[in-house]
Amino acid sequence: MPNFKHVIRPTNYNRTNHMLKLKFRTNVPVISGSCASVHVKMADEAVCVGPAPTSKSYLNMDAIMEAIKKTRAQAVHPGYGFLSENKEFARRLASEGVTFVGPDTHAIQAMGDKIESKLLAKNAKVNTIPGFDGVVKDADEAVRIAREIGYPVMIKASAGGGGKGMRIAWNDEETREGFRFSSQEAASSFGDDRLLIEKFIDNPRHIEIQVLADKHDNALWLNERECSIQRRNQKVVEEAPSTFLDPETRRAMGEQAVALAKAVKYSSAGTVEFLVDTKKNFYFLEMNTRLQVEHPITECITGLDLVQEMIRVAKGYPLRHKQADIPINGWAVECRVYAEDPYKSFGLPSIGRLSRYQEPLHVSNVRVDSGIQEGSDISIYYDPMISKLITYGSDRAEALQRMEEALDNYVIRGVTHNIALLREVIIHPRFVQGDVSTKFLPDVYPDGFKGHKLTDLEKRELLAIATSLYMAEQLRSQQFLGSPRISLAKLDLNNWELSIQLGDGTYSVTVSNNGSTFSVEVDGMKLNVTSEWNLASPLLSVTIDGTQRTIQCLSRDAAGNISIQFLGTVVSEGQEICVIEAMKMQNSMIAAKTGKVKALHCKAGETVGEGDLLIELE
């Protein structure tokens, strides 16, 4: 049985952290100019494998193999992407006597090909979606097959994954168009343009089963993960367990997942994905022969360290647990925090440098898996994920409450991010009730995500907070080395009357001050706002009549203009948050500007630099 001392692994710091806990010497491949990266700092040794483009670095198998030889690594943990499901990489490692911390090449090959995996699933008595099991030759054959199956159908790449090479067709014309686009996308993404067609299950849930198997014919299912909140067939919010499954359905799905794993002699952690309809019928979708991005929520409810188990299996040890030992303890939720603009197609990538970055680790039962830090660059070359934010609770309500608090306390500056969308999803009544499907986002936001819509009470709270923040700054400006400035005119320093503009409305506000509390009367309602009023902090915890709110001060200029984030959202881009009139001076709190596009100064595919003029607005 091998005794690992040197393990090489990809770029994600929490995986390195696992190796450190297991007392392995960790080596990581890096790209040019990434010496200050988090994973590099945590590793024992780092080896440059090329420049930033993935084809010249992390997908360059020769460069990775050379790094393995240079560091004399005895094992490789492939992480989530890049070469993690590449059978040729696993084969080359085996030929060099290096252990691949994952399944063998046969399982990777069998499950990586959607046509072959579906046939194997059928033979293993796993429920499969009705469809054509062969390779579709051309658009005419695609139309014929789609008519036989019955519309709607799903056209997807045989070697695909991650939502690439997938199209839904509702008629002949869409089938022809879908065949053309899917084959082109599959060829460019996977180097394989083969397609298959199957029945499209409308309005399903996406529920997956985590499996763990060893080299001694033992296999377990570690319960399910609900992954239905998606955009462009990519997951955004996940939770474990699912609100939808009853014990009988959970057991049936788990047993079928294990049957499939045993059918391909699988050994490692893997995930069998299913589509589940409204009647709890479930159908095999695909098997991912690697660790999933969302695996932490399974770790939370089972207490198992999946990476540790993968390494034990790779070393040849049998599993330490029986199926009866696998619990469901509590509830866990994961939000994928992306450098994306959620107001554009639920998330178009944003690049830039993290000018300020503060993870909400002070919130209890919060885990943040990230590979970045303040000053890191989000580049055009990689997935724009900033982190995985995970919260755990004794029940779902507690896990969601902690997630809301964690999102409110997550400080990210320098790039556009999707926290506003994540927060809206987890507090939406449909999500809270567990009424979700893969169509959740387009159903709930048919015109696209527009940000948080303030209720009447929330508007008053915003007016009260903005007023109090303004007055706290005014009072501070009247201090000189901790003492009040000498005024020529007698002023009432405890009571003020202000005029505030919010959207299209103008509100008369009266405010009084008593220590750290401001009493604000707006629309006949009096609200007491209390805080430490630390105007230098990016986070400000305020209490409004016993209700705690966290606001973020996003920016502040020399003129005193402040941009704030309230309830997870910067109140609509381009919209004036509020204008405060005091002593005939107006002070505007604004978010970023929005307008019509006047001119474009860049083209698709061009590389642009900081300070370049890209778009003019009018």
Side-chain angles (χ1 to χ4, degrees):
M1 196 172 292
N3 183 21
F4 300 153
K5 294 181 180 178
H6 300 262
V7 181
I8 196 167
R9 52 141 330 273
T11 55
N12 184 286
Y13 95 90
N14 65 294
R15 296 301 108 210
T16 302
N17 196 34
H18 275 278
M19 307 302 182
L20 295 175
K21 287 194 296 183
L22 294 172
K23 294 182 170 55
F24 292 127
R25 179 176 174 83
T26 56
N27 312 306
V28 295
V30 300
I31 58 170
S32 302
S34 64
C35 296
S37 299
V38 174
H39 68 288
V40 175
K41 292 180 178 179
M42 297 189 73
D44 295 294
E45 186 176 1
V47 180
C48 183
V49 292
T54 56
S55 61
K56 298 178 180 179
S57 53
Y58 296 123
L59 288 176
N60 184 343
M61 212 175 296
D62 291 335
I64 299 295
M65 294 302 298
E66 184 60 32
I68 292 167
K69 291 177 182 178
K70 184 175 180 179
T71 59
R72 292 182 293 176
Q74 297 161 301
V76 173
H77 191 294
Y80 312 130
F82 299 128
L83 300 174
S84 62
E85 295 181 281
N86 189 298
K87 64 180 185 298
E88 176 61 18
F89 182 54
R91 186 196 65 77
R92 288 185 63 174
L93 289 175
S95 68
E96 295 290 338
V98 178
T99 300
F100 180 72
V101 184
D104 62 22
T105 55
H106 166 69
I108 296 174
Q109 164 68 33
M111 292 295 99
D113 187 306
K114 284 185 170 56
I115 295 174
E116 183 178 353
S117 66
K118 189 174 181 180
L119 292 173
L120 284 166
K122 277 187 175 181
N123 293 334
K125 303 295 189 291
V126 177
N127 301 345
T128 58
I129 300 173
F132 180 68
D133 297 330
V135 178
V136 184
K137 297 177 182 178
D138 52 38
D140 289 336
E141 185 176 38
V143 169
R144 179 182 62 78
I145 293 169
R147 289 175 177 174
E148 290 176 358
I149 296 172
Y151 288 110
V153 297
M154 172 71 83
I155 304 168
K156 59 184 181 180
S158 174
K164 297 181 177 66
M166 297 175 64
R167 293 291 188 282
I168 300 168
W170 295 81
N171 53 49
D172 292 355
E173 182 180 351
E174 290 183 3
T175 299
R176 292 183 185 278
E177 184 180 77
F179 179 88
R180 178 165 63 91
F181 285 122
S182 291
S183 58
Q184 291 172 354
E185 198 170 285
S188 63
S189 298
F190 313 112
D192 184 346
D193 64 356
R194 293 177 302 149
L195 301 177
L196 60 88
I197 298 180
E198 58 192 20
K199 181 70 176 177
F200 174 63
I201 309 299
D202 194 20
N203 208 37
R205 289 173 179 257
H206 183 135
I207 300 177
E208 60 191 27
I209 300 292
Q210 176 72 58
V211 296
L212 181 64
D214 62 20
K215 301 179 188 296
H216 305 279
D217 200 33
N218 300 307
L220 304 172
W221 48 275
L222 308 182
N223 302 310
E224 79 279 5
R225 294 186 290 257
E226 173 75 70
C227 306
S228 297
I229 307 299
Q230 303 180 4
R231 51 99 177 90
R232 299 189 295 277
N233 295 311
Q234 293 178 321
K235 302 161 190 171
V236 179
V237 178
E238 302 102 344
E239 61 180 310
S242 169
T243 60
F244 189 61
L245 297 190
D246 53 61
E248 293 74 21
T249 307
R250 176 179 296 115
R251 185 181 306 108
M253 293 176 70
E255 289 173 350
Q256 289 196 18
V258 165
L260 180 59
K262 288 188 172 183
V264 294
K265 295 181 171 55
Y266 196 87
S267 61
S268 192
T271 298
V272 181
E273 300 189 347
F274 293 94
L275 291 181
V276 184
D277 67 19
T278 54
K279 297 180 180 180
K280 297 184 180 177
N281 298 307
F282 58 91
Y283 306 94
F284 170 71
L285 184 62
E286 64 181 1
M287 183 175 188
N288 291 304
T289 57
R290 56 172 170 80
L291 192 68
Q292 289 283 82
V293 170
E294 59 273 16
H295 76 275
I297 56 177
T298 295
E299 294 183 333
C300 287
I301 67 167
T302 62
L304 296 181
D305 185 324
L306 290 181
V307 174
Q308 182 177 5
E309 297 301 325
M310 291 176 75
I311 294 172
R312 284 180 52 84
V313 168
K315 291 181 69 172
Y317 290 115
L319 296 181
R320 296 179 289 180
H321 307 280
K322 302 297 183 182
Q323 189 61 57
D325 301 331
I326 306 303
I328 298 181
N329 287 330
W331 211 284
V333 179
E334 175 180 292
C335 285
R336 299 192 185 193
V337 180
Y338 282 102
E340 292 182 337
D341 186 344
Y343 301 96
K344 299 173 182 175
S345 302
F346 299 112
L348 292 183
S350 169
I351 62 172
R353 178 165 295 172
L354 293 170
S355 57
R356 191 154 196 172
Y357 183 74
Q358 184 176 309
E359 295 174 347
L361 295 175
H362 61 283
V363 180
S364 62
N365 286 333
V366 167
R367 168 176 168 178
V368 183
D369 285 8
S370 69
I372 50 89
Q373 60 191 345
E374 194 166 295
S376 293
D377 288 316
I378 306 297
S379 79
I380 62 174
Y381 298 107
Y382 307 109
D383 187 283
M385 186 186 292
I386 293 174
S387 72
K388 299 179 296 178
L389 179 62
I390 304 103
T391 58
Y392 173 78
S394 59
D395 55 27
R396 188 170 185 259
E398 185 178 342
L400 290 177
Q401 187 276 327
R402 285 196 171 122
M403 179 59 75
E404 183 180 350
E405 184 180 358
L407 289 169
D408 282 345
N409 283 272
Y410 206 146
V411 178
I412 302 172
R413 307 282 188 271
V415 296
T416 305
H417 54 76
N418 68 331
I419 284 180
L421 173 62
L422 297 173
R423 192 185 190 283
E424 284 301 294
V425 168
I426 66 163
I427 67 171
H428 194 279
R430 271 189 56 181
F431 183 86
V432 173
Q433 294 165 11
D435 178 16
V436 300
S437 75
T438 55
K439 296 172 66 176
F440 179 88
L441 288 179
D443 282 351
V444 172
Y445 308 106
D447 299 321
F449 179 63
K450 305 296 184 184
H452 183 74
K453 186 176 181 180
L454 297 174
T455 64
D456 288 341
L457 177 59
E458 288 169 348
K459 285 180 181 178
R460 294 188 185 99
E461 288 183 351
L462 174 57
L463 291 169
I465 290 172
T467 300
S468 302
L469 185 62
Y470 170 76
M471 291 311 308
E473 186 174 38
Q474 290 297 304
L475 290 174
R476 189 182 70 167
S477 69
Q478 295 175 8
Q479 300 290 316
F480 182 74
L481 293 179
S483 300
R485 294 182 179 182
I486 298 174
S487 176
L488 296 178
K490 187 176 181 180
L491 299 175
D492 185 351
L493 298 179
N494 295 312
N495 295 278
W496 299 267
E497 291 184 2
L498 306 174
S499 176
I500 304 182
Q501 183 179 329
L502 175 61
D504 296 328
T506 301
Y507 302 82
S508 295
V509 172
T510 58
V511 54
S512 60
N513 172 240
N514 182 14
S516 61
T517 299
F518 290 94
S519 295
V520 182
E521 186 172 332
V522 54
D523 275 352
M525 178 181 286
K526 189 173 184 179
L527 298 98
N528 297 303
V529 185
T530 303
S531 176
E532 293 182 358
W533 304 112
N534 180 1
L535 303 182
S537 173
L539 292 171
L540 198 60
S541 177
V542 300
T543 302
I544 309 174
D545 292 330
T547 300
Q548 192 275 333
R549 299 287 194 191
T550 299
I551 66 170
Q552 294 197 25
C553 299
L554 302 181
S555 64
R556 180 177 172 190
D557 61 26
N561 296 319
I562 303 175
S563 177
I564 64 172
Q565 177 177 297
F566 176 65
L567 298 180
T569 300
V570 180
V571 184
S572 298
E573 290 188 8
Q575 177 182 338
E576 204 160 40
I577 294 178
C578 59
V579 177
I580 300 178
E581 182 176 318
M583 298 177 70
K584 300 183 180 179
M585 293 291 291
Q586 288 191 336
N587 296 270
S588 179
M589 296 184 180
I590 58 173
K593 183 181 283 186
T594 295
K596 287 187 177 181
V597 176
K598 178 181 179 181
L600 292 172
H601 295 276
C602 60
K603 297 179 181 178
E606 285 184 343
T607 300
V608 296
E610 184 177 356
D612 290 355
L613 178 62
L614 305 180
I615 300 173
E616 289 184 72
L617 301 177
E618 62 179 2

